[in-house]
Amino acid sequence: MHNRGQVAQENVDKVNAIIEEYGYKRNILASNLALNKKFHFAVFLPQYENLEYWKSQIAGIEKAAIEFSKFGVVLDYFFYDFNIVSFKESVLKVLEFECDGLLFAPIFYEESVRFLKEYEKKNIPVVMIDSNISNNDEHAYVGQDAFQSGYLAGRLISFAVKNERQILIFKITREIESTSVYLQRIDGFYSFFKDHEELQNFKFSEVTIKDSGIDQLNLEMFSGINSVFVPNSRAYIVARFLEQNNIKGVRIIGYDLLIENIEYLNKGVIDFLINQRPEEQGYMGINHLYKKLVLQEAVDNTHYIPLEIILKENYFPARKS
């Protein structure tokens, strides 16, 4: 069965016939446990302190780590700050680290493409979460279809609207915003209106500010605006400004169940949040590597997390013990 040789062909044929008749399959988990085999997965993510979204990703990853630890799965973490210098420093450490699989969040697009090209030389399975920057099935991806989520946001903006509407795409970015997921959402948003030519009553404008410049918001930005699309988790910044200035009747759509976003959702200032379910992303990313490497199962390389629309009427926060 192990093809170690020194066995008469007659006996080989007999054993193979029995295997075929009874459909025998080797118990991979039992074999791994008997050999005390370890599977090291590298986790390469942004620093998560004070960032709810990435804390949730880590929570899902840790849940999977505990569940699969009894089967020899060991996680090794590599974190980078939200700047390219820190990312490049961590890249060198990840490239040097010997492991069986990699879970990776590609925040910086161009640098991530270069990293993955170099990492391919190691011939190690890679699972990306949050953002998919691969144009083929070379690497696995767990997360939302960013383009489709932007398309959905466009549909939500258009609901029950017949008169002329001014839509503001409000881009609140970090000092460096180069994630493909961010751009795909905006592309998907515009594509919805391109695909629905009957919606001629919508006019668009854009504003971009840095995180460090959120005090630059002013009333002129929102003059005549009926709806605001924020293509990331910072919708609460717009909602807070509108509330402070007593501006009502503006439909706001954003992403992620951050505490601040939920606060303004419950107040009715934010109308819709598209939940990316980050904890599920983290868990499914490790689960993919577990199935592929430990169980040696065939797994699909793309696992899209369903698009979940959250309104104040259907959001029920978990009770804190």
Side-chain angles (χ1 to χ4, degrees):
M1 288 174 64
H2 294 282
N3 295 316
R4 290 170 181 161
Q6 299 180 343
V7 178
Q9 187 60 44
E10 180 183 357
N11 291 332
V12 171
D13 294 340
K14 287 180 180 179
V15 171
N16 285 335
I18 293 170
I19 288 173
E20 185 174 348
E21 180 180 355
Y22 290 96
Y24 169 81
K25 291 183 179 179
R26 182 167 66 94
N27 189 324
I28 296 173
L29 280 179
S31 298
N32 291 338
L33 289 172
L35 295 170
N36 195 27
K37 187 172 182 179
K38 299 296 182 183
F39 297 86
H40 287 268
F41 300 161
V43 178
F44 188 20
L45 300 179
Q47 289 283 3
Y48 62 94
E49 287 86 353
N50 303 317
L51 295 172
E52 285 182 67
Y53 177 79
W54 291 107
K55 278 185 178 180
S56 296
Q57 290 273 14
I58 292 294
I61 291 168
E62 285 296 309
K63 179 181 177 182
I66 293 170
E67 183 176 333
F68 303 136
S69 62
K70 56 181 172 289
F71 303 119
V73 171
V74 178
L75 301 188
D76 299 273
Y77 290 92
F78 299 84
F79 294 108
Y80 58 90
D81 294 324
F82 280 93
N83 63 73
I84 290 177
V85 173
S86 176
F87 179 79
K88 288 181 176 179
E89 291 173 351
S90 296
V91 160
L92 296 177
K93 296 176 183 178
V94 175
L95 287 172
E96 291 176 357
F97 183 71
E98 295 298 325
C99 63
D100 301 289
L102 171 68
L103 184 70
F104 174 46
I107 298 300
F108 302 107
Y109 178 76
E110 293 181 359
E111 289 72 19
S112 295
V113 169
R114 283 193 285 268
F115 162 68
L116 287 174
K117 188 174 182 179
E118 184 68 22
Y119 202 80
E120 286 169 10
K121 299 175 183 177
K122 299 169 76 73
N123 196 29
I124 291 173
V126 175
V127 179
M128 289 180 288
I129 55 175
D130 180 66
S131 180
N132 187 11
I133 64 173
S134 181
N135 294 323
N136 50 44
D137 290 333
E138 199 161 1
H139 305 299
Y141 170 67
V142 175
Q144 286 192 347
D145 183 328
F147 178 91
Q148 197 67 17
S149 75
Y151 200 94
L152 171 63
R155 184 178 295 279
L156 293 173
I157 284 278
S158 72
F159 277 158
V161 173
K162 294 184 179 179
N163 56 325
E164 185 169 306
R165 304 283 284 187
Q166 294 289 332
I167 300 177
L168 176 62
I169 299 176
F170 209 101
K171 297 182 281 188
I172 306 172
T173 70
R174 295 186 177 90
E175 294 308 318
I176 299 174
E177 187 76 61
S178 55
T179 63
S180 62
V181 64
Y182 183 79
L183 301 175
Q184 288 174 49
R185 286 173 183 167
I186 296 172
D187 189 23
F189 183 79
Y190 279 127
S191 292
F192 172 80
F193 292 95
K194 291 177 183 176
D195 290 346
H196 296 78
E197 296 179 356
E198 72 277 10
L199 300 176
Q200 297 294 323
N201 53 321
F202 289 87
K203 309 299 177 185
F204 304 92
S205 59
E206 296 186 9
V207 167
T208 302
I209 63 170
K210 301 292 186 184
D211 261 359
S212 56
I214 57 176
D215 57 345
Q216 297 172 8
L217 271 69
N218 58 69
L219 294 175
E220 186 178 348
M221 291 177 176
F222 300 94
S223 177
I225 297 299
N226 308 108
S227 303
V228 178
F229 173 49
V230 183
N232 55 24
S233 61
R234 300 170 182 82
Y236 68 91
I237 294 175
V238 172
R240 182 170 58 208
F241 180 83
L242 296 185
E243 181 185 56
Q244 289 174 347
N245 289 276
N246 198 31
I247 301 174
K248 301 181 183 297
V250 177
R251 179 174 290 180
I252 301 177
I253 295 179
Y255 288 82
D256 301 330
L257 302 185
L258 274 61
I259 292 174
E260 295 95 335
N261 282 341
I262 291 300
E263 176 188 349
Y264 289 104
L265 182 79
N266 287 332
K267 289 181 176 180
V269 183
I270 293 177
D271 295 86
F272 302 103
L273 289 171
I274 298 175
N275 182 22
Q276 299 187 76
R277 296 160 71 171
E279 186 170 339
E280 183 176 343
Q281 287 187 42
Y283 176 88
M284 293 304 299
I286 297 298
N287 185 56
H288 178 98
L289 291 173
Y290 166 74
K291 287 183 176 179
K292 186 177 183 68
L293 295 168
V294 181
L295 300 183
Q296 297 179 25
E297 293 182 358
V299 286
D300 292 335
N301 263 9
T302 301
H303 180 90
Y304 283 129
I305 302 294
L307 298 173
E308 187 174 54
I309 305 169
I310 303 297
L311 301 81
K312 69 176 182 178
E313 288 80 8
N314 72 347
Y315 174 72
F316 299 97
R319 293 186 178 275
K320 301 293 183 181
S321 58

